[in-house]
Amino acid sequence: MKEAVTLEPGRIELRNTEPPPRPESGQALLEIAAVGLCGSDLELFKGTDPYSHFPVRQGHEYSARIIGLGPDYDGPLVVGDLVAVEPLLPCRHCIACRRGHPNCCVNLRVTGGQIDGAFVDQFIMPVTNLYAANDLTPAEAAFVEPVSIGLQMVSRSGVQAGDQAVVFGAGPIGQSVILAARERGARILAVDRLYQRLAIATELGAERTVDDSSDDVAGTIKEWTDGDGPVVVFEATGAPGVMRTALEVVAHSGTVVVAGTPTQEVSIPPFLIVYKELNVLGSRNNAGAFRGAVEIVRKNRALVRRLITHTFPLERVQEAIEFAIANPHVAEKVMIAVSEEARVAGAVAAEGVGRGGS
Ligand SMILES: [Zn+2]
Ligand SMILES: [Zn+2]
């Protein structure tokens, strides 16, 4: 059995590992199918993720085939099912877990983050982390996790049909926010500095886009909202200065949802939070959004396929990460095909759209 382990910043080693033990009660043995690369994977690889520790096996956006189920399982899943895997393992007893927020568990372990992840042939997970996705391809099912992040942000925001919302950052998380907010009927203006990403935002249903590197962002937002400002602003860039802009442009009584994670301290005007009576909310992982995320992917398969721009086999995962870091203007979601099934599907998809890393 193969696994790819990040030994230190900039170095991933492919090595042999023992197969996992038999699944215990409540667990499933998985054959990993496809694994998406996330911005946080690139940061971890570079050594710039504040939570990184080495060595670690990365991979937290993944799909799998069930190849074994623990004894006494009587739920709806069966061996052979393709599943989207929720990567979070909360402790279930801390203050956040007791209050129904396992996504920000004090002792949270994320497979592919705090503990080993999916860059491996086989893996054991609790069955409660598995969501059947037999009608999706392995890569589409692996896309459920990033969509769950966007759906969590949208749920936090309370955005409603007809509301005008601004999304700062049209990368993978911003794209998921647009998909989830469009499902609710919100009107979207997207801000980014890569024109390719603005073009994608338009395809996903953004009604207006603003190029942060050249346009007057605040002026355009003001004009688009007839001077009111958007009732919701989503911060999905992690760029330190955006937090201030978000507070400045958001409508009085509006909501700012923050999911970008700059590690630098930033200066913001707290006066605006009081004066406009703003809701300023963090959003992390997802709490109960996974099933809804499967539905969003299911309803938007063509768009999701459009966002999966490259596929590499597991043996070339380091090359894939280096490629994604060096080519943010062309690499949207880069997939790692682990199983033979995902490789074949990835190669077919790459041929179908005339591109792909392998
Ligand atoms: Zn991620
Ligand atoms: Zn907990």
Side-chain angles (χ1 to χ4, degrees), residues 179-227:
L179 271 179
R182 290 290 299 138
E183 283 295 314
R184 288 208 177 183
R187 299 171 56 196
I188 303 292
L189 178 149
V191 184
D192 204 287
R193 47 188 53 186
L194 294 175
Y195 72 85
Q196 296 89 345
R197 289 196 161 161
L198 294 177
I200 289 171
T202 302
E203 277 184 58
L204 295 175
E207 110 184 11
R208 187 85 174 256
T209 60
V210 181
D211 182 344
D212 186 23
S213 60
S214 58
D215 300 344
D216 169 13
V217 174
T220 308
I221 291 171
K222 195 167 184 184
E223 177 245 311
W224 180 63
T225 55
D226 296 328

Side-chain angles (χ1 to χ4, degrees), residues 3-29:
E3 65 173 356
V5 179
T6 308
L7 296 176
E8 58 186 27
R11 186 161 154 245
I12 295 180
E13 186 177 83
L14 200 75
R15 58 194 192 189
N16 290 320
T17 182
E18 292 299 308
R22 280 164 181 276
E24 293 172 12
S25 180
Q27 294 181 329
L29 176 59

Side-chain angles (χ1 to χ4, degrees), residues 91-94 97 105-106:
C91 77
R92 310 216 177 271
H93 57 71
C94 75
C97 286
C105 165
V106 176

Side-chain angles (χ1 to χ4, degrees), residues 38-41 60-61 145-146 149 173 333:
C38 170
S40 67
D41 285 310
H60 63 269
E61 301 179 356
E145 199 276 344
I149 307 289
I173 296 303
K333 184 58 72 184

Side-chain angles (χ1 to χ4, degrees), residues 35-37 42 139-140 143 170-172 175 196-197 200 203 301-312 320 323-325 327-336 345-358:
V35 187
L37 291 184
L42 311 188
E140 289 163 1
F143 203 85
Q175 292 163 5
Q196 296 89 345
R197 289 196 161 161
I200 289 171
E203 277 184 58
R301 291 183 68 184
L303 284 170
V304 166
R305 280 199 292 271
R306 163 87 179 80
L307 298 176
I308 300 168
T309 49
H310 299 80
T311 304
F312 290 76
F323 174 82
I325 291 170
N327 298 283
H329 52 295
V330 292
E332 293 306 329
K333 184 58 72 184
V334 175
M335 279 289 160
I336 306 302
V348 170
E351 213 163 84
V353 296
R355 58 194 162 164
S358 64

